[in-house]
Each structure stands twice: as C-alpha cells, then as structure tokens.
Amino acid sequence: MSIYSRLLNVPILWNLSQAVFGCDSQKKKLYRSVFSRTGRLLDFGCADGNTFLAFTDFDYYGVDINKQLIDYAAKKYHAFNNAHFVNADILSHPFEDDFFDYALFSCTGHHLPDTALFPVMEALSAVLQPGGRLHFFDTIRRPGKDSGLLKFLISIDQGKFMRDEETYMKIIHRFSRRLKVVTYKTLSITGTLMPQPDYFYAEFEKV
Ligand SMILES: C[S@@+](CC[C@H](N)C(=O)[O-])C[C@H]1O[C@@H](n2cnc3c(N)ncnc32)[C@H](O)[C@@H]1O
C-alpha cells in the first residue's frame, strides 16, 4: 500500500498532509474563485470534506468511495444542514440525473487512468442539469519547469496518472458529448511552505 493510500485511510493524517503538502487554504480559495453563484454542488472525491468550508453557502453534496473519510466528514460537519456526505462509487450512479447545478472534480484526475477518468466524466455529466457547470482541477507535471524538490514530492505523494497540460488540452474535448468546454487554463499556486505543482483547470457546460 502506498504512503498516499495509507494517509487516505486515516482522515486526521490525510487532513494534516493536505494542510502541509496540499496547501488546503489556497486550494479552497482557488476552487471557490471559479463559482460566481451558489447552488446545488456535487464535490466528487470529497475525501474527508477538506474543501467543504469553501462552500458553506451551497447545497453541498460530497461523494467519496472511501467510507472512513465520509464518516469522518459527516461527523465533523454534522452541524451544517446544507452538508450531505455520501459514501458511494460515482460510477454506481448514486444520484438522480439532472440533479446538480455544479460539479467539482478536483485533484483526483491524477489518481485515475483514462479508463476510469472518462467514465467518471460521463457519470458527472449525467447528474448535472442542462446548463449546469463542471469545474475540473488537477495537478499537472510541467517538464522543464518543476523543481527537483517538487518532482520528489510528486513521486512520493501523488497519483500514478499525473498528466501534462498538452495531454489535458487534447482529452478534455473527448470527455463526453454532453460536456462542452467553456474555458481552460493553467494555474499556479505560489507563496506556500511546500512547492506546489501547477493546476490544469477546465470549465464545462452540460449540453
Ligand atoms: C485526492 S483525493 C481528493 C482531493 C480533494 N477533492 C481535494 O481537492 O483536495 C481523491 C478522492 O477521490 C476518491 N475517489 C476515487 N475514485 C472514486 C469514485 N469512483 N467514486 C467516489 N470517490 C472516488 C478517493 O477515495 C479519494 O478520497
């Protein structure tokens, strides 16, 4: 079992690793910055709810296949009536079609091979209502730009399927016929204790 999988199975360690290595507070600001209105949001791969506090004014649904993380999140945020944590595989279609205004798919793509990434995108497109938006963020490699320390951190901590921006620019148009690409760009997080990989961001509209 990788260090990453072990961390994921212990919510407190996952939380700590996110605060130190994953710069949680900057991530929350970045994720929130792409939403101009509130609504009903599905946070796919919500882990222990580490980004929920950016969305306290949303009708928030976090889904994760890891029961320990979901139980931890549900307990931690039980005082929030707008927080719903669901333990399920998104591929088992745990939500009604056309149910959400928004889906957030953040920092999980590099844990999924294409054979899982494409079906997950299709599943998320199904639960979005027409006109709904999917916000996709994932950490990327930047050959020639990533420092040695960053490469080392990536090698011990991150998923096995980290892509580069050229790869994402090619595949985002093929994720689903129901997902029209609205915009995409590469984003950098600076001023953190640990160097952070850059993020590929894409916004999709359900058609
Ligand atoms: C890297 S973590 C989440 C990162 C978090 N979204 C963030 O932005 O910091 C990835 C999560 O995706 C979950 N996951 C992976 N495949 C899934 C699936 N098919 N259905 C539900 N959750 C899944 C894992 O259990 C894990 O908790």
Side-chain angles (χ1 to χ4, degrees):
M1 192 186 270
S2 68
I3 294 173
Y4 183 79
S5 310
R6 283 169 205 263
L7 281 179
L8 266 180
N9 284 329
V10 185
I12 286 176
L13 289 184
W14 158 253
N15 224 328
L16 188 64
S17 80
Q18 285 304 288
V20 177
F21 295 106
C23 65
D24 234 21
S25 57
Q26 285 87 343
K27 276 202 318 195
K28 282 204 268 284
K29 274 188 218 142
L30 185 67
Y31 296 166
R32 181 57 200 244
S33 70
V34 300
F35 291 82
S36 51
R37 290 195 197 137
T38 65
R40 187 181 287 156
L41 169 70
L42 174 61
D43 183 4
F44 162 67
C46 68
D48 68 346
N50 62 305
T51 58
F52 166 66
L53 290 178
F55 299 104
T56 52
D57 51 344
F58 281 61
D59 189 16
Y60 174 98
Y61 288 71
V63 65
D64 205 288
I65 201 166
N66 183 319
K67 186 171 179 339
Q68 273 170 281
L69 293 175
I70 283 291
D71 288 349
Y72 179 89
K75 200 168 163 196
K76 185 168 179 183
Y77 299 114
H78 74 276
F80 291 84
N81 293 332
N82 60 319
H84 315 273
F85 290 98
V86 179
N87 175 219
D89 180 345
I90 193 67
L91 299 177
S92 69
H93 299 285
F95 303 102
E96 282 170 39
D97 282 359
D98 302 347
F99 188 62
F100 292 99
D101 303 307
Y102 303 108
L104 174 65
F105 183 161
S106 58
C107 282
T108 300
H110 60 289
H111 297 280
L112 306 177
D114 285 359
T115 49
L117 181 62
F118 280 69
V120 165
M121 279 296 192
E122 199 59 58
L124 294 177
S125 74
V127 298
L128 274 178
Q129 61 165 282
R133 300 292 170 116
L134 189 163
H135 296 285
F136 178 86
F137 293 86
D138 196 21
T139 47
I140 50 170
R141 292 181 188 283
R142 302 205 84 183
K145 188 178 171 226
D146 292 339
S147 67
L149 175 57
L150 186 54
K151 281 187 202 149
F152 170 71
L153 291 173
I154 288 170
S155 75
I156 58 165
D157 249 344
Q158 304 287 336
K160 292 198 208 100
F161 304 99
M162 195 176 267
R163 299 171 179 88
D164 56 26
E165 65 187 320
E166 285 74 25
T167 302
Y168 268 131
M169 279 174 349
K170 277 183 208 149
I171 65 176
I172 55 173
H173 301 280
R174 294 192 279 113
F175 277 147
S176 164
R177 269 180 296 169
R178 290 184 289 189
L179 290 175
K180 186 181 85 182
V181 178
V182 176
T183 187
Y184 61 84
K185 57 187 158 187
T186 297
L187 302 164
S188 300
I189 289 188
T190 52
T192 54
L193 185 61
M194 292 286 176
Q196 295 296 313
D198 284 340
Y199 283 66
F200 182 81
Y201 165 70
E203 179 178 5
F204 302 86
E205 180 179 356
K206 160 107 173 248
V207 291

